[in-house]
Amino acid sequence: MKKIIAVDGPAGAGKSTVSKIVAARLGYTYIDTGSMYRAVALKVLLTGKNVDDAIKDVDIKLDANGKIFLDGRDVTKEIRTPEVSRGASDVAKFGVVREKLTQLQREMAAQGKVIMDGRDIGTQVLPDADLKIFLTASVEERARRRFLELKEKNFAADFEQIKKEISLRDKQDSERKIAPLAQAEDAVLLDSTKLTIEEVVAEILRLAA
Ligand code: CDP
């Protein structure tokens, strides 16, 4: 059984949904690295500090129930707004932020039996992962999923607006200089546009065995 699984891909491809299920089936820990970038963005938005200062003394913890704590406060729900999504992609360009979070992520993965998702896990954070997945889907389908997700949480959602924001974030994430969104050479490409969640899960479990 593969001990360390890295899942990368663009927004809305289904990384967190399938990674959570795979983790539960294998008895692994799921680590959502996007939530860590979101927490840093929230700190910047709430405190008005510049990124260098905000990252210096930041305290980010993920618990076993998938909750995230920023400086001791539960921000699990607060980090899911579109404003924080944009902010996350902005702070993710900074080398100081990436260095700090990458180090934290490596420490979290050190005990093994983890599935970690993000943008640069297979390329930068865990280049020696036992299994690397690059999960993608068409921008139309990803926008549709994000739209339904936001509506379910009772956030105001406009499909065209979401599609625009996802495309912008894709561009920003793939074109940034440090650790851009990219498929690792040894990653398996999975296009989930026409696959159900269960089909993607089954494929990852097959590859992990
Ligand atoms: O859930 P969604 O796919 O919308 O985004 P996320 O995974 O929560 O990540 C939010 C943002 O954090 C992304 O748009 C990236 O800019 C950044 N990120 C990153 O740079 N590196 C990672 N390993 C994870 C996220």
Side-chain angles (χ1 to χ4, degrees):
M1 189 62 76
K2 309 277 197 290
K3 285 266 166 56
I4 295 190
I5 306 175
V7 182
D8 290 300
K15 301 182 299 290
S16 66
T17 308
V18 301
S19 299
K20 257 182 230 164
I21 300 173
V22 169
R25 301 257 174 99
L26 296 178
Y28 281 22
T29 302
Y30 165 56
I31 302 169
D32 172 2
T33 65
S35 72
M36 300 164 81
Y37 287 90
R38 286 169 179 272
V40 174
L42 180 66
K43 176 151 186 171
V44 169
L45 288 167
L46 292 179
T47 62
K49 285 187 178 178
N50 65 39
V51 174
D52 286 326
D53 287 338
I55 193 73
K56 227 177 261 166
D57 58 349
V58 77
D59 174 35
I60 294 175
K61 290 211 169 63
L62 307 187
D63 76 4
N65 303 314
K67 286 211 165 104
I68 176 151
F69 296 82
L70 168 65
D71 297 329
R73 193 167 67 82
D74 182 353
V75 295
T76 313
K77 287 216 177 78
E78 243 172 287
I79 58 163
R80 294 295 154 194
T81 65
E83 193 189 11
V84 177
S85 302
R86 274 193 296 277
S89 188
D90 291 337
V91 300
K93 290 182 198 156
F94 287 77
V96 275
V97 175
R98 303 211 70 86
E99 275 161 32
K100 179 138 185 176
L101 296 189
T102 298
Q103 192 192 336
L104 205 58
Q105 289 155 11
R106 286 185 182 145
E107 283 164 18
M108 293 165 84
Q111 88 274 14
K113 290 194 164 194
V114 296
I115 176 164
M116 185 179 281
D117 82 346
R119 300 291 187 286
D120 61 338
I121 310 308
T123 54
Q124 307 285 335
V125 181
L126 306 172
D128 298 328
D130 304 300
L131 172 63
K132 298 179 186 178
I133 305 287
F134 194 81
L135 187 61
T136 184
S138 71
V139 68
E140 198 78 20
E141 175 61 18
R142 292 189 283 120
R144 196 184 67 82
R145 291 176 190 168
R146 192 48 51 98
F147 174 76
L148 294 175
E149 200 180 306
L150 286 171
K151 280 194 86 172
E152 213 167 89
K153 289 180 186 158
N154 288 319
F155 283 122
D158 174 84
F159 179 76
E160 287 305 323
Q161 180 66 25
I162 291 169
K163 206 166 110 184
K164 242 188 248 160
E165 292 198 5
I166 284 191
S167 303
L168 175 73
R169 214 139 56 85
D170 282 358
K171 188 170 153 55
Q172 228 172 246
D173 290 348
S174 342
E175 292 179 358
R176 72 171 169 237
K177 291 210 177 66
I178 317 170
L181 165 67
Q183 182 180 346
E185 261 177 36
D186 50 351
V188 179
L189 175 67
L190 279 182
D191 184 338
S192 73
T193 308
K194 296 199 169 77
L195 299 179
T196 63
I197 291 167
E198 195 44 52
E199 284 170 330
V200 177
V201 168
E203 183 59 10
I204 297 178
L205 288 173
R206 190 184 69 75
L207 291 163

